[in-house]
């Protein structure tokens, strides 16, 4: 609608939709910063190759306004697409983590001893958090301290030292 309303004032109505589609694809696959670069290049290409007089950077005021409007529209669109893409990827990551948690909780129910159950909890926590090491500590109300119950990824010296110095 805006293009139609300003068309009488323009020397030529450039193919903005083609460039917007390219900027949208760039934003989806490469991210917002690349889409900004594509927007700047598109504005230059539109001016140089599509707006008369061709092969120059001579623009009428209406043509400058139309390119500025195109750039603002492209930046807003690129930002929205980048935001949606990041949200989609985060949702996929969350879904994978929930599936993993469901799988691990199923294995947890099958365990019969506290030691095996704590080890499964620790493995699940390490996997979900992307950690390399972990500990499970239980509160001992008689001595008012935390006791190291289970550890994964640390050397045996860590268990011995932590029981001497910290508990």
């Amino acid at each position: 609608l805006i293009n139609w309303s300003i068309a009488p004032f323009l020397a030529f109505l450039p193919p903005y939709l083609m460039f917007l589609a390219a900027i949208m694809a760039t934003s989806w696959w490469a991210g917002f910063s690349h889409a900004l670069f594509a927007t700047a290049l598109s504005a230059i290409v539109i001016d140089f190759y599509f707006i008369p007089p061709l092969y120059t950077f001579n623009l009428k005021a209406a043509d400058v306004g139309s390119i500025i409007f195109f750039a603002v529209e492209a930046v807003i669109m690129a930002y929205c697409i980048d935001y949606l893409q990041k949200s989609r990827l985060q949702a996929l990551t969350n879904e994978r983590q929930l599936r993993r948690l469901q799988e691990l909780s199923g294995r947890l129910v099958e365990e019969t001893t506290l030691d095996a159950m704590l080890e499964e909890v620790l493995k699940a926590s390490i996997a979900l958090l992307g950690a390399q090491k972990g500990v499970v500590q239980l509160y001992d109300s008689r001595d008012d301290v935390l006791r190291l119950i289970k550890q994964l990824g640390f050397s045996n010296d860590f268990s011995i030292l932590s029981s001497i110095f910290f508990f």
Side-chain angles (χ1 to χ4, degrees):
L1 181 62
I2 292 172
N3 280 346
W4 287 338
S5 63
I6 64 172
F9 304 104
L10 300 177
F12 176 75
L13 190 60
Y16 291 118
L17 290 178
M18 177 180 66
F19 287 96
L20 282 175
I23 291 167
M24 289 168 27
T26 302
S27 181
W28 183 262
W29 282 297
F32 183 66
S33 60
H34 290 83
L36 287 177
F37 184 69
T39 300
L41 284 180
S42 295
I44 292 168
V45 167
I46 287 170
D47 177 21
F48 195 75
Y49 288 106
F50 292 99
I51 298 177
L54 300 179
Y55 313 116
T56 66
F57 292 108
N58 256 348
L59 291 175
K60 295 179 183 175
D63 291 328
V64 170
S66 120
I67 287 181
I68 289 172
F69 179 76
F70 161 78
V72 169
E73 182 181 26
V75 167
I76 291 170
M77 195 175 305
Y79 174 79
C80 292
I81 289 171
D82 183 60
Y83 179 81
L84 289 173
Q85 177 70 332
K86 286 178 180 175
S87 297
R88 185 184 74 82
L89 293 175
Q90 183 62 46
L92 289 173
T93 300
N94 292 347
E95 180 190 14
R96 269 187 251 114
Q97 288 177 336
L98 286 173
R99 286 179 194 244
R100 177 85 171 126
L101 183 60
Q102 181 183 14
E103 170 193 320
L104 295 171
S105 66
R107 288 198 334 226
L108 185 62
V109 171
E110 297 170 0
E111 297 299 335
T112 56
T113 66
L114 178 62
D115 189 53
M117 209 179 296
L118 288 174
E119 186 169 337
E120 285 300 318
V121 166
L122 186 55
K123 285 179 183 176
S125 299
I126 289 172
L128 288 174
L129 295 173
Q132 307 217 339
K133 301 175 183 180
V135 296
V136 173
Q137 297 175 325
L138 292 179
Y139 177 70
D140 185 350
S141 60
R142 289 175 296 172
D143 298 331
D144 201 30
V145 294
L146 289 172
R147 300 267 183 227
L148 179 66
I149 303 300
K150 204 61 148 161
Q151 62 89 13
L152 285 174
F154 293 99
S155 67
N156 287 336
D157 294 338
F158 174 79
S159 299
I160 295 167
L161 287 174
S162 56
S163 64
I164 292 172
F165 290 111
F166 301 112
F167 306 106

